[in-house]
Amino acid sequence: MAVAHREAGLPPAPVATFWQRHREQVYPFFFVIPALVYVGYFAFYPAADAVYLSFQTPIKSFTFFNYDYNVQQGMYTWIENTLWVTAGALALQFGLALGIASILAREFRGKMIFASIAILPIGIATVVAGIAWNQILPGTGSGYANSVLAVFGASPVYWLNTPSSALAAVVVADSWKNTSLVVIILVAGYASIPRALYQAAAIDGAGPLRQFRYVTLPGLRSYLVIALLIRGAQEVNIFQLAYEMIGSYPQLLTVQVYDLYASGEGIYLASAAAAVLLGIISIFIVAVLVLGGRK
Amino acid sequence: MSAVWAIIVVVVAIAAGLGGYYYGKGQATSAGKTTVTYYDDLSPSEESFMTNILIPQFEQNYSNINIQYVNIDAGSMVTKITALVQGNDVGSTLIAEDNLDIGELIYGGTGSTNYLMNLTSIAPAIQPATMIPSMTAVTNYETTAFGGTYFLPFRANTPLVFLNKTALSSNGITTAPANFTDLLADATTLGSSSVMFQGGAGDDTATEMFQWDVQFGGNPMVYNDLGDLQAMSYLYNLSKYMNPGYKQAIYSEYAGLAQGKYDILDYQWPYVYSLLTGGNTSIPAMNTNTLDVYPGPNGTGAHAAAHVIGGDVLAIPKGATNLWAIQLFAQYLLGAHAQQILMVDTGNPAVNAQAYVGLPSSQTVVDTAIEQALENPVFRPPVPWIETWVSNFYNDIFTPFVLDGTGGGAWSALVGDANAANSQMESYLSANVGSSAASQYAAGDFGPLYV
Amino acid sequence: MSGPALSSPGTSAAPPPRAPAAARRPPRWRWSQVGLYAAVVAISAFLLFPIYVLFLLAFVPQKYTFFAARPALVPPSLTLSNLQAGLSTAGSPFLPSLYLSLELAFLVGAIAILIGIPTAYGLSRLSARLAYGLTTVMFIVNMLPSITIAIPISVQFIKAGLYGSPLSIALTQELLALPITVFLLVGAFQGLPKDLENQARVDGAGRLRAIFGSLVPLIRPALVASFLLAWMLSWDESTFALILYNPSNPPLAVEIFLSATQRGSVTEAVAFSFVATVPVIILVVVLQKYLKGEDLAVGVRG
């Protein structure tokens, strides 16, 4: 450019500064930095703090004691319970949401009403949902679910009696509340799949199931990934609903963190449990991103 | 169309903002008064006595003090006070905290920070001269354990057993079970789902088992001596007759007694008496013909009738201001008048002996039970690691042996669980407190407090 | 059922021209149609049942709900006395709680939009990979157990003098709302034609005017959706609120949580719950058209 300038007889052009040369690439960061700093500071600092504390005790500065102790207290069971709830809830939510979204992809009478019903649970606060589900699936042998059973002449069930049924109750209650979010995301996904693909598949002789497998699912892939990331992390962190319904038995990781944290001296043990939680979530996120084939 | 919605949203937002602002302003205290913020953990029915009777009476007597009452559960209170003290924003604050949770404020944060103000100098002015002997002993103990007074007993609490008389008598049982053998026999007669027990959380469960261990002649702190093992084995056998809801039951589980879900409410705090007899309008009201309450079955040995004493204590967070006002209010709460109201109307045993004078006769049953129970007090040692003791018990012994039923109630399984609990407690002490504490523990130096 | 119906083999004549919109009736009665409606009914029943239970708990006399061994599925009678009892034994006046929660929710929604727009715009002008990465980083907040971060955050706020004010609660709840707002808006910005901004700039508008004048109006549906989701998030949130709230004025979710964990008397919690739920249901139903389909063209596009 300087050469062209000289040849044209113009005085030499000033050399562009870094800023002038890279302005278009740099300026977006100015818009982004405030939010990033805000979120980063308030989120990363406590998280790093928790991991740091997990290797401490009041009298030792680096030790695995907290992890060992937690394991002896039954941490593998807590992890197992958490994973069961996560897997069960995600399976139920995604299965149900896929069903609802595929129904909403069609036209039928009453579709608007069904669409409203499908997202209604989002508006119910978790605390409130806990109250309702405590009356539906209580541990004491009464409750509305048992009333429904009584209509069919069945005897009452103590819903929270065994660990598996208690966890299942939490899975159902949690899925009730959170399926709506997945529905919203998947409906957007369905809308993004061009009709032409279905027509082409139909012409090739594919029935509904094959169309679902070869047209719908690939089209939904990135939406499923996003929904899995959001809901998966939230699911591992499930706390309020579970605490309201089943308390401390069977034990979930988050409840254990809370129980330990609420007792002042248990903060190191709580941090160790929280660090395990963070680890699980991180692994989950990486797995979803890798398997989802994102970009 | 969406413009219309946007306008509606904005209008509602402004209205909500203004409304909230004006309502928030309306809560501000008027000029010239000192405001004391008082934190307590009361059920809605108890709350009304505090906010409608006790506080207005105090404010009438002291027109320049305004009491701001805050209702918050014991655990959240710890986090709240911790945050306030750390943020240097305590203000004029008095708290009524659970006696176990108070330890978390004394050994707050990473275990070495005391978030409470030292009350040694002002305690004599606040505490009445007519304290119950066991409560005075607690205050004395504080000086030995903490080097000063940091909290004052406010409402004593001791668990009692509640019985559905009608259900029992229709099964041929005419007297309350006098000892644990009778209790198991009665439960067998009444059938499955006839007993309720607080099996749902560390604190509540461990509190009950602490007392049972002592009553069976054991030292609860070590988990594995003979009395402890016998108590746990007995509990396992009794659990066959418990309403399965016991696995989630905590101090808030009592209504089932009136609803017929179980017949023996094995240990609840006295406050449920007024709720069972009409205080809770969502359940059928019981009366002296249908409801019986007594200290509970006796064990064996020297401490057969021991009763664990819990309850709430008054404390002042470090850095609180306007001490004179806090002091006056605390004094009022510990006075005979307030103590009697708290005991009669909310079922919280008073710490002021004067409060027991001249009680209405409708209270007789539960007051008699309370007084009997308080004759044989046993306290949990105020060690800073008591919460770890609690969770260790719940995770290592109670969950596998009772809740999961692993081992099918076999004695050998129980011994294995208890020994594991003991050794883990020791290693915890070794890693968190020091080797001397660990060896003290191994030697059995930590045990229940008798006063 | 797949896409448009195939004309059956053997029909040589072209199908009659379809009438416009009126012809979009549901297809003829088929087993798959029955299956569809059966599924709709079953799913709706599952989704509506707990709301119905809430209604029963609030408006049916206690003896048929709480202390019945078999709570009645069909209300034998209705009453307002539960609501009255619940509202009158409240520890603090009820209306300010509702106002505060509404105020918080609108604050959180508004701040989410205000901060979200520039942030999402900036991200949309970066490479897609970088944008996706930074958004994921922001999402990490949602992945932490709230109790672990609630206290350190609250201490920071207290030191900054923000304790007790609605703004402080809103700012902490914002941490949860911002990531999803940014996520939705980045996708929306990315979906706009790239030249739009340049055209506005060429026409003489400054950068900010270009953004707000020509780009933002086009992503209005995504804005409404983000606002709504942030609103709901704040309405639902109680962990941060529990630590930071001003004792004289708890938000509704905190009030419900405190009553529900109190000793056994759930009447108050249910009364509060019901009142808390009604405005939200109205909001959801009224604005549900923004919460679907094309408007949520999220930033998943490559």
Side-chain angles (χ1 to χ4, degrees), chain A residues 222-278:
Chain A
S222 22
Y223 293 85
L224 285 171
V225 166
I226 292 296
L228 256 185
L229 284 178
I230 297 178
R231 281 267 68 240
Q234 288 178 343
E235 206 59 61
V236 176
N237 270 329
I238 182 176
F239 172 66
Q240 192 153 54
L241 194 63
Y243 195 60
E244 255 185 271
M245 286 182 75
I246 63 175
S248 298
Y249 178 76
Q251 193 70 287
L252 294 172
L253 257 181
T254 44
V255 177
Q256 188 64 9
V257 171
Y258 176 77
D259 281 341
L260 286 170
Y261 196 85
S263 70
E265 30 125 358
I267 187 170
Y268 300 100
L269 297 171
S271 302
V276 171
L277 255 181
L278 282 172

Side-chain angles (χ1 to χ4, degrees), chain C residues 27 35 39-40 50 56 74 85 105 130 139-140 154 170 175 178 185 206 214 220 228-230 256 264 271 283 297:
Chain C
V40 165
L56 289 179
V74 177
L130 194 54
F139 263 113
I140 294 197
S154 315
L175 287 172
L178 203 55
L185 294 182
S214 53
R220 204 176 358 222
L228 196 61
L229 284 176
I256 296 175
L283 203 66

Side-chain angles (χ1 to χ4, degrees), chain B residues 155-243:
Chain B
R155 299 186 288 254
N157 226 348
T158 186
L160 304 171
V161 174
F162 296 79
L163 307 167
N164 185 331
K165 275 209 264 194
T166 325
L168 260 61
S169 60
S170 64
N171 279 281
I173 306 171
T174 48
T175 53
N179 53 49
F180 285 108
T181 320
D182 288 350
L183 176 62
L184 190 56
D186 289 349
T188 320
T189 313
L190 291 167
S192 62
S193 282
S194 58
V195 179
M196 177 47 78
F197 175 85
Q198 293 178 49
D203 267 351
D204 299 50
T205 312
T207 304
E208 287 209 35
M209 286 319 297
F210 188 94
Q211 177 175 312
W212 284 29
D213 283 353
V214 169
Q215 285 184 286
F216 274 78
N219 175 358
M221 303 306 292
V222 298
Y223 305 113
N224 60 0
D225 66 17
L226 187 61
D228 297 339
L229 296 171
Q230 286 173 336
M232 286 309 299
S233 178
Y234 176 85
L235 180 68
Y236 177 83
N237 293 332
L238 189 63
S239 70
K240 302 282 185 329
Y241 305 98
M242 291 183 189
N243 181 311

Side-chain angles (χ1 to χ4, degrees), chain A residues 1-15:
Chain A
M1 189 160 132
V3 173
H5 258 94
R6 251 187 288 123
E7 287 182 353
L10 295 168
V15 178

Side-chain angles (χ1 to χ4, degrees), chain C residues 1-293:
Chain C
M1 278 246 285
S2 51
L6 300 168
S7 41
S8 42
T11 310
S12 47
R18 296 175 78 196
R24 291 232 203 200
R25 283 170 313 187
R28 280 167 310 190
W29 204 240
R30 272 186 238 188
W31 279 118
S32 50
Q33 208 55 14
V34 173
L36 181 87
Y37 277 105
V40 165
V41 167
I43 295 176
S44 301
F46 173 64
L47 291 176
L48 288 176
F49 186 60
I51 301 181
Y52 178 61
V53 167
L54 274 177
F55 167 77
L56 289 179
L57 291 177
F59 291 117
V60 172
Q62 306 274 2
K63 63 176 188 260
Y64 298 117
T65 57
F66 283 108
F67 71 70
R70 293 284 159 267
L73 290 170
V74 177
S77 62
L78 295 175
T79 173
L80 282 177
S81 60
N82 296 342
L83 216 55
Q84 283 167 343
L87 294 180
S88 65
T89 60
S92 42
F94 162 69
L95 272 177
S97 264
L98 180 62
Y99 263 121
L100 179 62
S101 284
L102 283 175
E103 182 187 346
L104 281 177
F106 278 107
L107 259 180
V108 170
I111 297 178
I113 301 288
L114 283 174
I115 303 185
I117 290 181
T119 311
Y121 170 77
L123 283 175
S124 70
R125 293 290 171 259
L126 295 171
S127 78
R129 176 166 291 183
L130 194 54
Y132 194 75
L134 287 175
T135 310
T136 309
V137 161
M138 286 182 74
F139 263 113
I140 294 197
V141 186
N142 294 54
M143 306 176 200
L144 303 173
S146 31
I147 191 68
T148 314
I149 60 177
I151 291 207
I153 290 182
S154 315
V155 170
Q156 303 285 340
F157 272 64
I158 291 173
K159 285 186 181 150
L162 286 174
Y163 172 69
S165 71
L167 188 62
S168 65
I169 307 181
L171 283 178
T172 45
Q173 293 180 338
E174 197 62 52
L175 287 172
L176 299 172
L178 203 55
I180 198 159
T181 303
V182 165
F183 178 72
L184 291 175
L185 294 182
V186 166
F189 272 117
Q190 283 174 341
L192 296 176
K194 205 151 178 9
D195 278 336
L196 221 52
E197 185 191 355
N198 293 337
Q199 279 175 0
R201 303 282 303 284
V202 161
D203 287 345
R207 188 187 304 281
L208 282 178
R209 183 119 75 91
I211 298 175
F212 282 92
S214 53
L215 295 184
V216 166
L218 291 178
I219 59 168
R220 204 176 358 222
L223 283 180
V224 175
S226 322
F227 180 85
L228 196 61
L229 284 176
W231 196 99
M232 303 266 208
L233 220 137
S234 161
W235 186 259
D236 199 17
E237 206 284 325
S238 55
T239 311
F240 290 124
L242 189 61
I243 305 214
L244 279 174
Y245 79 98
N246 187 335
S248 61
N249 198 11
L252 210 51
V254 172
E255 190 68 40
I256 296 175
F257 174 71
L258 289 178
S259 334
T261 53
Q262 292 294 335
R263 302 171 184 187
S265 176
V266 195
T267 318
E268 185 187 325
V270 173
F272 277 3
S273 308
F274 202 78
V275 183
T277 304
V278 169
V280 181
I281 291 189
I282 296 178
L283 203 66
V284 167
V285 170
V286 151
L287 290 173
Q288 60 98 355
K289 68 175 190 139
Y290 285 103
L291 279 179
K292 63 187 178 98

